[in-house]
């Protein structure tokens, strides 16, 4: 019970703004703004959380959020009284209710994979298809023909000439040709 | 010349280019192994090597025009000729597109060669990657460099300074031949050797 503390309205973040010597505007901003106060509502602040702000989120990195998930209700108060006694007397249902009061999801639940990957994959494949279609259109309609020198017979003639001229004989193409056997070195046994 | 799937440097035909390749490979190896200081020394050695004074036996003058090269051998018989790219539609079956020329530069191998590069109109650049040579040809200026070819063959290069519409279509081809063939060529005043194989046979 001593751990419970409600955020007093209108003075949230007061200490921080005094320390920084801020104006009234600054104090309002430092309090986290009206948005955060509205989000907190009547929920209890139980710790520092990840950055001191009274925001609830489930995360493996910060397993203890700054505030409880739900607001205090009369049913909860009854279970809290029971919690003060012997925990062995708590039923499984009680334990679950206590957990669900403080937390939104269990570790297993929030770490579970989501169906998001299907959307991601779908969009990615659509983009790939779009790219491929554009390149196909460019290739068939827009680009001209390759020069004649790209024909197979011309290319093999050029290759034969490169080998005869011993071009790049150290680590390049001619180094891969065996001049004694008149074939590629990789074809030798 | 670059062959298909060539990603890196061409094989060298000059001792300086060979050193440049070693430096390049060495520097990359050290770069990936994070040793910085060593390759600075190597680089400096190479820088001095490239500026060595040597006695060239042949001088070649190269003048860049839009869009062809012209060459002069003034040491001997005052040979001059223009070197135009062979158009693709006139290429032989085994011709190299955008690289072959009508008149190649014939040079002796294993000799120091001096080249003086200039241009007649706009800036061009005379390049032969296999020899590690790249010299800008500027109108009104003579740029000199030396090189040494240590094996016979054909060495291709392309103009390396944007010079207009046909900048990509003014290649350079050096035909490196043994000294006696070079002397024969000079004395016969032949400005065009059609097939490199013929030189060997004769």
């Amino acid at each position: 019970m001593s751990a419970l503390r409600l955020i007093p309205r209108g003075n949230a973040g007061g200490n921080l703004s005094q320390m920084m010597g801020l104006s009234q505007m600054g104090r309002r901003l430092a309090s986290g703004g009206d948005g955060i106060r509205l989000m907190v509502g009547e929920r209890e602040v139980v710790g520092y959380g990840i950055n001191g702000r009274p925001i609830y989120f489930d995360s493996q990195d910060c397993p203890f959020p700054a505030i409880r998930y739900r607001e205090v209700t009369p049913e909860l108060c009854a279970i809290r009284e029971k919690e003060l006694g012997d925990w062995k007397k708590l039923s499984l249902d009680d334990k679950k209710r206590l957990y669900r009061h403080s937390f939104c999801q269990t570790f297993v639940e929030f770490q579970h994979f989501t169906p998001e990957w299907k959307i991601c994959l779908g969009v990615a494949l659509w983009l790939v298809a779009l790219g491929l279609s554009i390149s196909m259109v460019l290739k068939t309609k827009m680009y001209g023909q390759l020069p004649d020198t790209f024909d197979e017979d011309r290319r093999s003639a050029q290759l034969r000439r490169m080998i005869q001229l011993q071009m790049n004989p150290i680590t390049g193409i001619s180094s891969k040709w065996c001049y004694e056997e008149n074939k590629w070195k990789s074809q030798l046994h | 010349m670059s062959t298909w799937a060539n990603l890196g440097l061409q094989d060298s035909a000059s001792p300086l280019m060979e050193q440049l390749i070693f430096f390049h490979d060495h520097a990359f190896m050290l770069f990936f192994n994070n040793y910085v200081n060593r390759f600075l020394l190597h680089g400096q050695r190479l820088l001095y090597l490239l500026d060595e004074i040597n006695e060239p036996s042949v001088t070649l003058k190269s003048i860049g025009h839009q869009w062809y090269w012209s060459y002069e051998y003034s040491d001997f018989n005052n040979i001059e000729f223009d070197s135009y790219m062979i158009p693709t539609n006139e290429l032989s079956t085994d011709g190299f597109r955008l690289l072959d020329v009508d008149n190649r530069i014939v040079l002796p191998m294993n000799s120091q060669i001096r080249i003086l590069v200039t241009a007649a109109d706009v800036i061009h650049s005379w390049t032969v990657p296999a020899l590690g040579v790249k010299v800008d040809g500027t109108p009104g200026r003579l740029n000199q460099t030396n090189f040494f070819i240590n094996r016979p063959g054909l060495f291709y290069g392309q103009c390396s300074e944007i010079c207009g519409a046909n900048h990509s279509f003014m290649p350079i081809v050096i035909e490196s031949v043994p000294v006696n063939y070079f002397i024969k060529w000079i004395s016969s005043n032949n400005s065009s050797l059609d097939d490199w194989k013929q030189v060997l046979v004769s």
Side-chain angles (χ1 to χ4, degrees):
Chain A
M1 281 299 184
S2 60
L4 299 179
R5 178 176 67 84
L6 290 170
I7 293 180
R9 283 184 187 273
N11 195 29
N15 284 338
L16 178 64
S17 60
Q18 272 159 28
M19 266 166 43
M20 292 169 70
L22 292 173
S23 64
Q24 196 175 23
M25 174 69 92
R27 275 200 289 277
R28 198 178 291 164
L29 286 171
S31 73
D34 288 322
I36 292 187
R37 272 206 308 231
L38 283 169
M39 277 164 60
V40 169
E42 297 295 329
R43 297 186 280 178
E44 299 161 318
V45 177
V46 291
Y48 184 80
I50 207 161
N51 58 2
R53 298 243 172 102
I55 295 172
Y56 181 85
F57 58 88
D58 286 312
S59 165
Q60 190 173 356
D61 300 341
C62 180
F64 303 113
I67 56 174
R68 296 199 194 276
Y69 182 57
R70 293 184 201 280
E71 292 172 346
V72 180
T73 57
E75 295 82 20
L76 177 75
C77 287
I79 303 181
R80 283 275 176 81
E81 288 296 326
K82 225 175 148 185
E83 196 190 7
L84 289 174
D86 189 2
W87 284 351
K88 292 197 182 83
K89 294 200 177 123
L90 285 171
S91 69
L92 188 60
D93 208 44
D94 291 334
K95 288 176 196 166
K96 283 185 185 174
R97 277 212 203 107
L98 278 167
Y99 183 89
R100 292 289 174 184
H101 169 70
S102 294
F103 301 102
C104 176
Q105 287 181 307
T106 63
F107 267 66
V108 171
E109 283 166 7
F110 69 69
Q111 285 174 340
H112 200 261
F113 59 81
T114 59
E116 214 177 13
W117 68 270
K118 296 174 197 173
I119 288 275
C120 293
L121 185 65
V123 170
L125 288 174
W126 267 102
L127 289 173
V128 166
L130 185 67
L132 280 173
S133 334
I134 291 175
S135 55
M136 264 167 50
V137 164
L138 284 174
K139 175 91 179 108
T140 51
K141 303 278 185 225
M142 311 230 9
Y143 296 151
Q145 239 185 338
L146 283 174
D148 293 339
T149 49
F150 282 79
D151 296 342
E152 207 49 54
D153 57 329
R154 304 276 301 250
R155 286 175 60 192
S156 54
Q158 286 172 52
L159 180 57
R160 164 121 337 244
R161 187 173 167 219
M162 281 183 223
I163 291 168
Q164 283 171 347
L165 286 168
Q166 294 189 33
M167 286 188 163
N168 292 327
I170 302 157
T171 58
I173 199 153
S174 301
S175 66
K176 312 280 188 283
W177 181 262
C178 176
Y179 286 92
E180 286 87 25
E181 307 281 330
N182 228 20
K183 52 169 86 158
W184 294 110
K185 285 183 182 166
S186 58
Q187 292 172 328
L188 298 173
H189 297 291
Chain B
M1 66 173 244
S2 290
T3 53
W4 294 301
N6 230 33
L7 270 182
L9 301 164
Q10 295 176 30
D11 285 346
S12 65
S14 160
L16 287 177
M17 186 58 197
E18 193 179 15
Q19 290 296 314
L20 281 165
I21 294 174
F22 290 158
F23 173 70
H24 169 269
D25 295 344
H26 189 63
F28 263 91
M29 188 262 292
L30 292 177
F31 176 73
F32 286 115
N33 284 324
N34 290 324
Y35 295 118
V36 178
N37 290 328
R38 285 195 204 176
F39 70 73
L40 288 174
L41 270 175
H42 262 273
Q44 192 175 37
R45 182 189 72 100
L46 195 45
L47 227 40
Y48 280 108
L49 266 177
L50 290 165
D51 283 339
E52 275 283 305
I53 312 280
N54 35 44
E55 285 182 38
S57 40
V58 178
T59 299
L60 170 70
K61 288 176 209 156
S62 159
I63 302 112
H65 304 262
Q66 281 178 313
W67 287 278
Y68 62 97
W69 293 94
S70 62
Y71 301 103
E72 294 174 15
Y73 295 74
S74 316
D75 295 335
F76 313 108
N77 291 347
N78 260 336
I79 298 171
E80 294 175 14
F81 56 89
D82 296 338
S83 178
Y84 279 83
M85 181 189 88
I86 299 178
T88 307
N89 52 4
E90 293 173 25
L91 217 45
S92 60
T93 313
D94 58 2
F96 301 126
R97 190 177 70 98
L98 308 185
L99 284 175
D100 273 324
V101 296
D102 52 1
N103 301 313
R104 300 181 204 131
I105 310 159
V106 180
L107 288 171
M109 57 186 255
N110 293 332
S111 316
Q112 278 292 345
I113 308 213
R114 172 202 278 130
I115 181 162
L116 298 161
V117 184
T118 185
D121 34 46
V122 296
I123 305 181
H124 300 267
S125 187
W126 194 88
T127 310
V128 181
L131 304 174
V133 176
K134 185 176 291 199
V135 192
D136 276 11
T138 308
R141 184 185 169 83
L142 281 176
N143 284 328
Q144 175 184 291
T145 194
N146 287 348
F147 58 87
F148 182 98
I149 315 177
N150 57 18
R151 59 181 166 95
L154 292 184
F155 305 107
Y156 290 85
Q158 291 172 294
C159 177
S160 299
E161 186 63 43
I162 186 82
C163 53
N166 286 351
H167 154 68
S168 317
F169 309 115
M170 45 184 294
I172 297 132
V173 186
I174 294 180
E175 187 178 324
S176 167
V177 295
V179 182
N180 51 341
Y181 286 107
F182 176 72
I183 294 171
K184 230 190 274 185
W185 177 77
I186 287 279
S187 49
S188 66
N189 211 6
N190 230 351
S191 65
S192 169
L193 288 165
D194 287 346
D195 196 310
W196 183 73
K197 282 195 290 186
Q198 273 183 8
V199 175
L200 265 190
V201 167
S202 58

